[in-house]
Amino acid sequence: MTDPNGGREGRRFSDEELQDLVASTDSGARDPLNRNVALLISGLALLWSLFQLWIAQPQLWFGQYLPVMNSSQTRPIHLTFALLLAFMAYPALKSSPRHHIPILDWGLALTAGGTAFYIFWFSDTLAMTARSGLPTQAQVIVGAIGLLCLLEASRRALGPALTIVGSLFILYGYMGQGWLIPDLIAHEGISFTGLMNALWLDTAGVFGIPLGVSTAFVFLFVLFGSLLDKAGAGNYFIKLAFAGLGHLRGGPAKAAVVGSAMTGLISGSSIANVVTTGTFTIPLMKRVGFTSEQAGSVEVASSVNGQIMPPVMGAAAFLMVEFIGISYLEVIKHAFIPAVISYIALIYIVHLEALKKDMPALGEAKSFTGMLVKFFIGFAVAGAGFTVLIYAVGALRAAAPALTGPVMMTVLGAVYLWLVAIAARRPDLEVDDPNAKEIKLPTVGEVYATGLHYVLPIVVLVWFLMVERQSPAKSAFYATSLMLFIIITQRPLKALFRGQGAQLLAEFKGGFDDLIAGLIAGARNMIGIGVATAAAGIIVAIVTKTPIGTELAGLVEQLSGGILILMLVFVGLFSLILGMGLPTTANYIVVSSLMASVVVTLGAQEGLIVPLIAAHLFVFYFGIMADVTPPVGLASFAAAAVSGGDPIRTGFTAFFYSLRTVALPFLFIFNPALILYGVDLGTWAGIGQAVFIFVIATFAMLLFAAATQGYFLAKSRLYESAALLLVAFTLFVPNVWLDMVQPPFRDVPPAGFEEAVAAAQEGDRLRLLIEWPDFNSGDMTSTTLVMQIEGAGSAAERIDASGLLLYPEDDVVRLDEPMFGTDTAERLSDFDFYADTPVQLAAVQVPVNQMPAQIFFFPALLLLGLVILLQRRRQTKPAF
């Protein structure tokens, strides 16, 4: 059967089947008919949410009256809840009963929960035995049972991918060598006792950093999103997107992109995002001329992009804080521009599709340019208002610091009451039927006032993160606390403002029911993430205890033949493969543990200094593309279930729409300024530089989208698309052309190293080419080390501060093991300084003054002008 738009029609899922699809992946598909069992599952989920709120609140006035738990106690309890609920909420197989819990699952739930709770209950004993290297036989047995239960819970909640990967890593850690294990990563093997100790009993395996991040940060953000959704913010954001964009050419698709970006704040799951927004947007996209596959693909591309959008980034943002050792604000700063320009480009791609097919608007057509002008005016006004608020609070804090807190609370309460009063003047938003015969799109004026109070918790979250510089956990707790208050009070307050005093008690009860439902839904949405972060801890532990983490770079180098761009392509492909079938959080843990250091190491060997944050974003971007790409492509299959399109074709079309997400990682590897690396946002000059980078990158990304879509002002010819790609590349990375014309460094012989250090200005960076014998082959290999010049002392003082120990011998400068505790010692930790062949300084590269890279913008813009002239002759409809 075919649809009228030419796409091959698949089976479209019913609403019940779609909700079951989301439940199966996010919260568990089991729905017991026995009321007591259903209450038990809901009660455990509610208790989990309350526990997480309790451990997040020690900074409040009542915190002194409640016991405070450390991370070695909270992580096991967190996993205990996750495992209990995983076996109770997720059936073992598709054919397993969904309306009751089999005896086996009861036994597995109690056993799995017990092995995790054991780590909490006997934490003091474990500290004296297993964590001191002396595990008992009983502890080892508990660890083995716990690991088996965790892998089974992972299979149920997340599918087989993470279970298979985790099992393979356990086998690799235990065996160490064999005919399937390359010599490059072979090792002696870890004893069964040592393996159980490292993976379950110690604090660095299952109960390590990933589970710690899930416990401390991720739960609160997922709970915050769940409460926002229960309060009605999800429908509000979708309606707002359609009110602003639905009237444009191809408007439903544009609204799908923006709606998915906004619901990305609420949903940490690309699949839930696809189904939540897609059930409304996909039928409307098909109405205006998109095929089933195209409509599903737009929803997939925009929903998966929600995972790269700050502030949550599918929980990867919090993991980056721990893995890289930078602040949360730094992660947001680096991730912001790529995510935003990616969304802008997707809107433009949708616009080009609408132009190519001459799609109509829904209702009275409006101007795309006019919408952009209104958006930027609104953005500027909001930014100006936020800036005024920052200065006002600063002045109040300076004048009366003791009154700042109470005054801010009073103002926040007054603003909330005012916004709810405004919302009460309009009817509550209803969920529209996208299949209705006539679609009446709302206007922004009708929608925006009905949910402005939903923005307050988001403002509070941003305020504490960006202005108060509080931790993500503390910021999320304050925002969630406000959300708890809003969800309870908004309904009775609306009734009061509407003069419906008789319904006050019923509305208050309804708000309390919404609160309980939100707490339960938040916990159930965390089951998969809790299990995923615990299971991913297996991979992290094996990587740190075996050679695979350090030697994988050598394997990639062999495969690529030492060609840098091929190395990056292979790393991207490996990240894509490793990410197949994994949720975003587990996906990032796995790919970053294995591949991030590979990018940095291989770049350094080829003379390209890659910031660690750029390497982590690189592998993260490719990892989440697994949600799009066949054959796994979970989000693509979910979109096809909504649209009735072919899942494989939907996946390939979504991948084509997501080419910008594939290109971005390569671009910021070669030009880290795109992620604002090295840009100081604390100065006006830095802010101006950031704005300039954003404008140029946005323009370049739009040209890239036009080139890949084969349409700009008119249908592009092949050479015009190639020219647009060349212009986009030049705008993104002009430094590549500049380095070809004017090398950025001059070489200094090793013997002149001290002179170069003495002549350098404070803040300069010298690049040191270091050679050393490879552990395995004995051949000489090289890497590039950056030496940051600090202070105004002598050359000897500057070298001592860096930790380098140099010994000139004739024409050779030998390196000894760097001073312990310095950055240099950490970077050179894998070097063998005691081999017969010494580690030596091969060359010193001193930076030279280059002309501005932006000079290459001029020929690029001239080429763009030529393309515009050629296409203007064939243009038949407005470009916007």
Side-chain angles (χ1 to χ4, degrees), residues 678-691:
V679 177
D680 184 5
L681 296 182
T683 64
W684 286 111
I687 293 173
Q689 184 183 358
V691 171

Side-chain angles (χ1 to χ4, degrees), residues 83 306 659 699:
L83 289 174
L659 280 177
F699 186 51

Side-chain angles (χ1 to χ4, degrees), residues 1-14:
M1 179 173 25
T2 59
D3 68 7
N5 298 314
R8 190 174 51 180
E9 189 79 11
R11 188 175 76 84
R12 184 178 176 187
F13 282 34
S14 66

Side-chain angles (χ1 to χ4, degrees), residues 16-34:
E16 292 76 15
E17 288 175 314
L18 289 173
Q19 293 308 314
D20 184 65
L21 175 65
V22 174
S24 299
T25 54
D26 286 345
S27 59
R30 189 168 275 146
D31 185 20
L33 296 176
N34 186 304

Side-chain angles (χ1 to χ4, degrees), residues 556-567 602 605-606:
V556 175
E557 186 179 18
Q558 286 181 12
L559 290 173
S560 63
I563 301 170
L564 182 59
I565 191 67
L566 275 182
M567 291 178 188
L602 293 178
Q605 288 180 11
E606 298 301 315

